[in-house]
Amino acid sequence: LDDVNSYFYGYAIANNEIIRQENYSPECKLDGTGAYVALNVDEDSISIYQDYLGSYGLYLYRDGDYFAISNSFLMLVEYLSKSNRTFSINQDYANYYLSAAISSLVPDETLVQEIKMLKHNFIVHITKSGKSISFEKIDYGEGSFSLDSRQGIEILDKWYYKWVEVFRSILKSNHLTFDLSGGFDSRVIAALWLSSNMNLDNLTINSSNHNKRFDEDFEIASSIADHFNFKLNQNYKRKKTPCELNNSINIPLYVKFGFHKKRYFPVYLNDDVHYRVSGHCGGTIRNYPNIPVDEYVGEIIDRSKDYDKKVELSTRRLFDKKIAELSEFYGMDKDSRRLSSILYRESRNRHHFGKAFVEAYLKNWVTLAPLSDSLLSKLRITTDKCKDDLLIITLIFVRFCPELLNFKVEGGREFKSDTIEFAKGLNEKYPLEAKELKFVEMTADDEDIVNDKAILSYGQHALLFKDIFMSKNFIKDFEKYFSKRAYNFIRKTIYKDPHYLEDVHSSIDILKVNEYV
């Protein structure tokens, strides 16, 4: 403990500025925005803070009075193994994780029984002299304010201007990339940048146009682009360095191992930081998935049945336990639809989106996700007079960029006329105090891309991990813990879709932990 120094991992936003290790100080007022772990060390104490999602994760091992904590689950397991510490496989979680869809929907379990993931709203306090650890819970005030109150509207406006100023500040010296699809979430982000009085020619606005599955998304994005007079999918130059194989594998592995089955192995790393703004975590302001928790968990269990009976039974046991814990912790009925959205928020948002933010950061991409901001979480999604789960989104458009309501939404979804009228009434009752925003454009010159050829090619990693999975030694080890049926099911999915390697990665993760155990 005496060797631990103050350090800041990742990035945060404070006073409209991006905070990283080089400009961090303990005096920075962090509000949970970003993807970070901050260690503040005093004479006899260490305090560890994390962002609102808990993107890295804080993983705690306990063995009597001994404790060890890390912001990487895999690094902690490796450390414990070298230290000859006792630990065991969490078999129910391992069985579930094999069949999980892309990322885990369990808030705190890990592949090791003795390692727990701390809650996203915990601060850790360690006393050096006493060698003791304690936890402080942050109250983010989730769902505290109604949208039809002055305080609720003030929070919404504060959120809006916070992000507008962040975008404008970054654009003065850096490039900004945005996503735009035909859905709700990226359009909410578009309401921010379209009303920020920035030079749209300086922005890169990406929309998928290389896959038939996204035809409707691209059609809608194109109609928005035509209306607001900006171009989609413009290329811009980035100075990049080819990535070594070891680094390429380790970046996603040390971030996602045991929680997220989709791995993006980089071929290049950015020399300079680049900023991407996404609509990630939008489900939380739409009350997603908005179905009873039994139904939501039922879909997870149905998926597990395809593997084998043991996987199904473990998945049932695990989610029975987790739903009971969440129900007791939040004082909610086990059939509550709200419990489904809490489960989604505390697992999917964290494991799927948060870990993707960290993975991207290690490739020198800073991902900004305004919909994951704890400010928005303070607002109740509906009001007594308007029960529509799209109320917040509708109000954002009405208040900040009403023209975006005129375009259709992908998948036949729509904004309800009653909700639009209710939002207009709120907007008239609490009019926006508009700030004057001077025109902003990028002044930095584009860098020329490095001409060095990539050491690796995209798809090379897929062959590497497929070869491991198909090897006789791996099959022999796999069938010590799982059935031949489970192996054959995964193998068939690879034959159907050679790019689907999620179950291959989870299989390797589980067997690797078994090896450490």
Side-chain angles (χ1 to χ4, degrees):
L1 295 178
D2 290 334
D3 294 334
V4 176
N5 297 312
S6 294
Y7 199 84
F8 188 82
Y9 297 88
Y11 59 95
I13 293 173
N15 298 322
N16 304 331
E17 183 185 8
I18 303 295
I19 304 297
R20 301 170 80 186
Q21 166 61 13
E22 55 265 26
N23 62 340
Y24 173 74
S25 76
E27 286 71 44
C28 288
K29 292 185 178 177
L30 303 179
D31 64 0
T33 309
Y36 63 83
V37 169
L39 286 102
N40 291 350
V41 180
D42 291 326
E43 192 173 330
D44 191 43
S45 67
I46 301 168
S47 296
I48 309 174
Y49 303 85
Q50 54 184 335
D51 62 84
Y52 175 64
L53 291 183
S55 301
Y56 279 84
L58 292 175
Y59 307 94
L60 178 68
Y61 170 82
R62 301 296 293 260
D63 180 15
D65 291 336
Y66 178 88
F67 67 87
I69 190 165
S70 174
N71 64 342
S72 167
F73 168 73
L74 180 55
M75 282 191 172
L76 180 54
V77 171
E78 289 175 339
Y79 175 80
L80 295 171
S81 179
K82 290 172 187 171
S83 306
N84 292 320
R85 286 280 164 186
T86 302
F87 54 98
S88 55
I89 192 78
N90 183 347
Q91 199 60 60
D92 276 350
Y93 180 79
N95 291 350
Y96 156 67
Y97 179 58
L98 182 73
S99 69
I102 300 183
S103 64
S104 168
L105 278 168
V106 178
D108 54 357
E109 301 279 336
T110 77
L111 287 169
V112 170
Q113 195 70 41
E114 294 78 9
I115 299 176
K116 297 299 178 191
M117 191 179 193
L118 298 179
K119 290 186 180 298
H120 71 105
N121 56 350
F122 273 21
I123 301 170
V124 178
H125 297 294
I126 297 169
T127 305
K128 294 183 192 178
S129 56
K131 295 183 181 178
S132 62
I133 188 167
S134 61
F135 311 100
E136 177 188 349
K137 182 184 171 187
I138 301 172
D139 182 5
Y140 282 106
E142 289 153 339
S144 298
F145 299 94
S146 176
L147 271 176
D148 56 3
S149 68
R150 181 171 295 282
Q151 298 101 314
I153 295 296
E154 285 173 353
I155 287 170
L156 190 66
D157 290 351
K158 183 179 178 181
W159 168 82
Y160 168 74
Y161 278 114
K162 168 184 172 177
W163 287 101
V164 164
E165 292 300 341
V166 167
F167 297 161
R168 289 165 55 81
S169 174
I170 291 171
L171 188 64
K172 290 173 184 176
S173 57
N174 292 90
H175 204 94
L176 273 169
T177 299
F178 295 86
D179 299 327
L180 183 61
S181 68
F184 292 117
D185 303 337
S186 66
R187 194 178 301 189
V188 173
I189 307 305
L192 302 179
W193 52 264
L194 282 171
S195 58
S196 296
N197 201 17
M198 300 186 295
N199 186 348
L200 299 185
D201 291 334
N202 288 164
L203 309 179
T204 297
I205 297 108
N206 291 325
S207 185
S208 295
N209 63 345
H210 56 275
N211 188 320
K212 283 190 176 181
R213 189 161 67 91
F214 300 113
D215 279 355
E216 188 182 13
D217 282 292
F218 186 67
E219 175 199 330
I220 295 168
S222 298
S223 63
I224 293 172
D226 290 342
H227 178 81
F228 288 98
N229 194 28
F230 62 83
K231 293 178 181 177
L232 291 174
N233 299 327
Q234 290 191 94
N235 288 323
Y236 74 100
K237 298 172 182 177
R238 282 185 285 142
K239 196 173 182 182
K240 302 184 292 186
T241 299
C243 194
E244 299 281 349
L245 179 63
N246 243 20
N247 208 17
S248 182
I249 290 174
N250 283 343
I251 285 173
L253 203 65
Y254 281 103
V255 176
K256 291 179 169 178
F257 185 98
F259 306 99
H260 197 302
K261 298 159 69 168
K262 188 85 172 173
R263 310 280 158 83
Y264 295 103
F265 301 101
V267 172
Y268 288 101
L269 301 179
N270 290 327
D271 286 9
D272 304 310
V273 65
H274 288 270
Y275 295 90
R276 178 199 176 201
V277 186
S278 79
H280 291 338
C281 304
T284 49
I285 63 166
R286 290 185 276 113
N287 204 20
Y288 184 84
N290 199 20
I291 55 176
V293 74
D294 283 349
E295 190 179 328
Y296 189 34
V297 170
E299 293 173 0
I300 299 167
I301 292 169
D302 284 345
R303 180 183 169 86
S304 71
K305 291 175 183 176
D306 291 330
Y307 293 77
D308 64 29
K309 192 67 179 176
K310 187 168 72 170
V311 169
E312 180 195 343
L313 291 173
S314 283
T315 303
R316 284 185 185 277
R317 268 196 304 271
L318 187 63
F319 278 93
D320 281 349
K321 184 173 91 170
K322 289 297 126 186
I323 295 308
E325 287 173 2
L326 282 174
S327 174
E328 183 180 356
F329 187 81
Y330 286 99
M332 287 184 181
D333 189 87
K334 286 184 183 179
D335 297 325
S336 169
R337 288 172 179 253
R338 185 72 186 130
L339 208 55
S340 294
S341 65
I342 288 171
L343 178 62
Y344 179 93
R345 181 189 73 202
E346 299 201 0
S347 56
R348 170 82 171 182
N349 267 7
R350 188 176 197 185
H351 294 319
H352 185 63
F353 297 122
K355 284 182 169 49
F357 300 161
V358 177
E359 181 185 46
Y361 177 71
L362 296 176
K363 295 179 273 191
N364 225 355
W365 276 101
V366 167
T367 308
L368 304 173
L371 302 185
S372 72
D373 193 327
S374 62
L375 273 174
L376 275 188
S377 77
K378 295 179 187 297
L379 301 174
R380 289 198 283 278
I381 290 170
T382 61
T383 70
D384 292 338
K385 294 180 180 177
C386 182
K387 300 294 186 183
D388 186 356
D389 286 334
L390 294 178
L391 176 58
I392 289 182
I393 289 177
T394 307
L395 180 58
I396 287 169
F397 292 135
V398 165
R399 196 163 180 83
F400 307 121
C401 195
E403 290 168 88
L404 285 172
L405 286 167
N406 300 331
F407 300 91
K408 71 174 187 175
V409 183
E410 178 270 333
R413 297 173 291 174
E414 59 182 11
F415 298 101
K416 295 177 182 175
S417 56
D418 289 352
T419 307
I420 293 172
E421 290 308 309
F422 184 81
K424 285 180 177 177
L426 285 179
N427 200 42
E428 289 167 6
K429 185 177 179 181
Y430 306 107
L432 176 68
E433 293 182 18
K435 296 180 182 179
E436 185 183 349
L437 301 172
K438 292 181 181 178
F439 185 69
V440 171
E441 57 186 334
M442 189 170 64
T443 55
D445 294 325
D446 279 344
E447 293 273 10
D448 286 333
I449 190 167
V450 168
N451 291 320
D452 292 349
K453 288 186 178 178
I455 300 165
L456 312 168
S457 62
Y458 292 107
Q460 215 171 327
H461 304 86
L463 292 173
L464 176 69
F465 285 97
K466 271 186 206 168
D467 284 349
I468 293 170
F469 184 79
M470 298 290 189
S471 69
K472 288 180 182 177
N473 283 341
F474 188 86
I475 296 169
K476 193 167 75 174
D477 284 345
F478 185 94
E479 290 179 4
K480 287 178 187 174
Y481 306 101
F482 302 102
S483 67
K484 190 168 281 189
R485 175 187 162 181
Y487 181 86
N488 288 335
F489 176 76
I490 296 170
R491 192 168 182 157
K492 280 178 188 174
T493 63
I494 301 169
Y495 284 131
K496 283 181 188 173
D497 181 0
H499 301 291
Y500 184 85
L501 293 180
E502 279 84 339
D503 291 350
V504 169
H505 292 306
S506 62
S507 301
I508 292 171
D509 288 0
I510 293 163
L511 264 63
K512 190 67 184 169
V513 166
N514 268 302
E515 186 182 306
Y516 282 121
V517 168

